[in-house]
Amino acid sequence: MVNFFSYSNVYFVPEVFLMLSLSFLLPLCVSFTNIYIGVGRNFSLQVRDIVILFFFLLGYLYFNASDIVHILLASQIIKDTLSVYFILLVFLGVISVCIFSKNYLVNNFVYEFEFFIIFIIIFLGSSTVIFSNDLFSIYLGIELQSLGLYILASYKQNSLYSTEAGVKYFVLGAFASSLLLVSFCLLYGATGLTNLLDISVFQVLLENIYLDFFLGISFFFMLIGLIFKIGGAPFHVWVPDVYEGVGTVVTAFFSLVPKVAIVSFIFKSVDVYSNGGSLDICLIFSVSGFLSIFVGTIGALSQITFKRLLSYSAISHSGFILFSFSALNLSSLHSVLLYLLIYIIVIINIFGILLQFVQNRKVSLVKLVSNLRYYYLENKYGCIMLVISFFSIAGVPPLSGFFAKFFIFFSCISAGYIVLSFFLILLSVIGFIYYLRVIRSLMLFQNNNKRLLFNRNFKDVSAYIVCYSFYINVTFFVMGGPFVFYLYNVCLYYFY
């Protein structure tokens, strides 16, 4: 009898713990709610607390992972510092949304326990994409993650906007997944392999013009699917409708979690394709990145609803990530990791404050940008933190968002994209206009309706998350050195 905790099986403990948690919660929740119908509301909050506990234990297991590269199951699974970094980012996004969701779900009468079960399923799909090194398992992980996202997009059953968002996201997402499947089939047909390490070695040993052609075609279809998944132009049409149609908690989840797994797969595919191929992938990344920033900046200028403004902002930030891949050097890949970290921290801070707006009301007040008026009179500290966070995401020095964009522009200018970087800097300055609109609404001081629109105080654990994320955002120019050097070493060990 083989001991599970011997040899390399011990490195599967976090995933086994996650699957056991899901197998334990799902039958328990179904049985409990069928027998005790009257306690559904309290039980849903208890499930939330159990899920948060599970995620904290899971984060502890991942955080204590060794820095040594572990190649498992005949190189089907690879656990290294880069994959552990990505999974910790996913963990940070999921645990933050779970903590922020309590008061929002109670005030919006969302008491179903399935809401948090879906979070576990999406986390399991994301971990599969991040740790897998085989095309089949990566595709299954992307589909598992997408399945949970489809359900979240249409979770508000009584809302026509949510139903439309879910259907549109499902149809377009299925199309993008089919393109990914076509690219994987072409890659398998050209090489007869599905393992990314084997494909990388195969194309180096066998230099062939036909192989390069099929690699180029397969990678082209793969990039189209991945650009759609990350919300980049010209495949961005689903982002504004989905962000506006779903609840605020789900909008925060869409802003934080799905991008991380897709970026991790882009890292793997770029590492494999950099050894050969006839397709100019740098051109694809640069064009898509520029279009995303252009569409996100110009599109957000005319928006009056707050979620659509955030959706175009997300498109713009996806463009910065894609544009950084255009250089394909150590500096640009390091800037991607740093940008992703700072983006997640700032978004956590923004949504952590926004989700407090509904605590004293039965409906969400953050529909229009003008709904943010008079928040300064209700919570001065929260308003100041939110204003500084918007300054940061706009790229104002010396906040963390400035350094994220600075590293991207520095790496791209070093790679020769001088003219294109100049236009992107100009677009970043123009994009600051729609952030100023939000800041102007926040800082209006006359309250004519004499009503408490917002919550005066932050409560629960969410206050600590908001404060810590704000602290990192403000002090990054002083204390950001360890983050920068750690991510540089991660890229150095992974690519060299």
Side-chain angles (χ1 to χ4, degrees), residues 20-325:
L20 290 178
S21 302
L22 184 62
S23 303
F24 167 75
L25 273 178
L26 193 56
L28 177 66
C29 294
V30 173
S31 302
F32 193 90
T33 52
N34 287 336
I35 298 175
Y36 304 100
I37 301 297
V39 296
R41 297 182 177 182
N42 296 329
F43 182 67
S44 63
L45 296 180
Q46 293 173 1
V47 171
R48 167 189 168 271
D49 296 335
I50 295 174
V51 170
I52 291 176
L53 177 61
F54 283 162
F55 274 122
F56 269 116
L57 294 175
L58 189 66
Y60 176 79
L61 294 175
Y62 280 127
F63 186 77
N64 287 276
S66 175
D67 293 335
I68 303 175
V69 177
H70 303 291
I71 301 177
L72 311 173
L73 296 180
S75 72
Q76 303 296 311
I77 302 294
I78 296 181
K79 290 193 173 184
D80 52 10
T81 53
L82 183 64
S83 59
V84 171
Y85 169 74
F86 280 123
I87 200 66
L88 288 178
L89 289 182
V90 175
F91 162 78
L92 184 62
V94 173
I95 197 67
S96 300
V97 174
C98 287
I99 293 174
F100 293 153
S101 63
K102 177 181 179 181
N103 295 304
Y104 177 86
L105 296 179
V106 170
N107 288 308
N108 286 271
F109 306 103
V110 180
Y111 298 109
E112 291 82 0
F113 68 88
E114 296 90 350
F115 195 83
F116 304 101
I117 301 296
I118 295 172
F119 284 177
I120 299 180
I121 295 175
I122 295 176
F123 189 94
L124 184 59
S126 301
S127 64
T128 303
V129 176
I130 291 172
F131 290 125
S132 295
N133 197 49
D134 188 84
L135 295 178
F136 287 158
S137 56
I138 289 175
Y139 181 77
L140 291 177
I142 291 177
E143 287 304 297
L144 183 60
Q145 173 185 275
S146 300
L147 180 63
L149 294 175
Y150 298 151
I151 299 173
L152 287 181
S154 57
Y155 200 81
K156 297 170 65 175
Q157 301 177 1
N158 298 325
S159 173
L160 293 178
Y161 293 105
S162 180
T163 304
E164 179 186 359
V167 172
K168 183 175 294 186
Y169 185 45
F170 172 74
V171 173
L172 295 177
F175 175 73
S177 298
S178 64
L179 292 178
L180 285 176
L181 191 58
V182 167
S183 68
F184 293 164
C185 292
L186 287 175
L187 195 57
Y188 177 75
T191 61
L193 303 170
T194 59
N195 188 275
L196 294 178
L197 285 180
D198 295 340
I199 294 174
S200 179
V201 174
F202 181 81
Q203 63 178 334
V204 172
L205 296 179
L206 183 62
E207 296 182 0
N208 189 295
I209 186 173
Y210 298 104
L211 177 61
D212 291 343
F213 174 77
F214 277 103
L215 284 175
I217 296 297
S218 64
F219 201 80
F220 176 75
F221 284 112
M222 186 188 302
L223 281 183
I224 293 178
L226 294 178
I227 290 172
F228 173 88
K229 296 290 185 180
I230 203 175
F235 311 102
H236 64 282
V237 292
W238 62 273
V239 179
D241 294 331
V242 172
Y243 273 52
E244 187 178 18
V246 300
T248 308
V249 170
V250 182
T251 304
F253 193 87
F254 271 87
S255 301
L256 293 170
V257 177
K259 286 185 175 65
V260 179
I262 301 303
V263 171
S264 69
F265 182 46
I266 294 178
F267 261 84
K268 297 176 184 178
S269 58
V270 164
D271 183 37
V272 171
Y273 191 82
S274 60
N275 294 325
S278 59
L279 183 67
D280 190 359
I281 59 176
C282 296
L283 179 62
I284 297 177
F285 281 124
S286 59
V287 171
S288 179
F290 179 80
L291 288 177
S292 300
I293 298 173
F294 180 80
V295 170
T297 301
I298 303 302
L301 293 176
S302 60
Q303 301 302 319
I304 60 174
T305 59
F306 187 71
K307 288 184 180 179
R308 291 187 78 90
L309 187 144
L310 288 180
S311 68
Y312 281 101
S313 176
I315 295 172
S316 178
H317 290 290
S318 299
F320 280 105
I321 294 174
L322 292 173
F323 183 72
S324 184
F325 276 109

Side-chain angles (χ1 to χ4, degrees), residues 59 102 219 221 305 343 370 416 457-458 484:
K102 177 181 179 181
F219 201 80
F221 284 112
T305 59
Y343 174 77
S370 58
N457 300 311
F458 291 96
V484 174

Side-chain angles (χ1 to χ4, degrees), residues 418-439:
I418 300 176
V419 178
L420 199 57
S421 299
F422 171 77
F423 283 106
L424 292 183
I425 293 174
L426 183 61
L427 286 174
S428 298
V429 175
I430 296 174
F432 187 63
I433 296 175
Y434 59 83
Y435 292 116
L436 282 178
R437 290 171 50 203
V438 178
I439 294 170

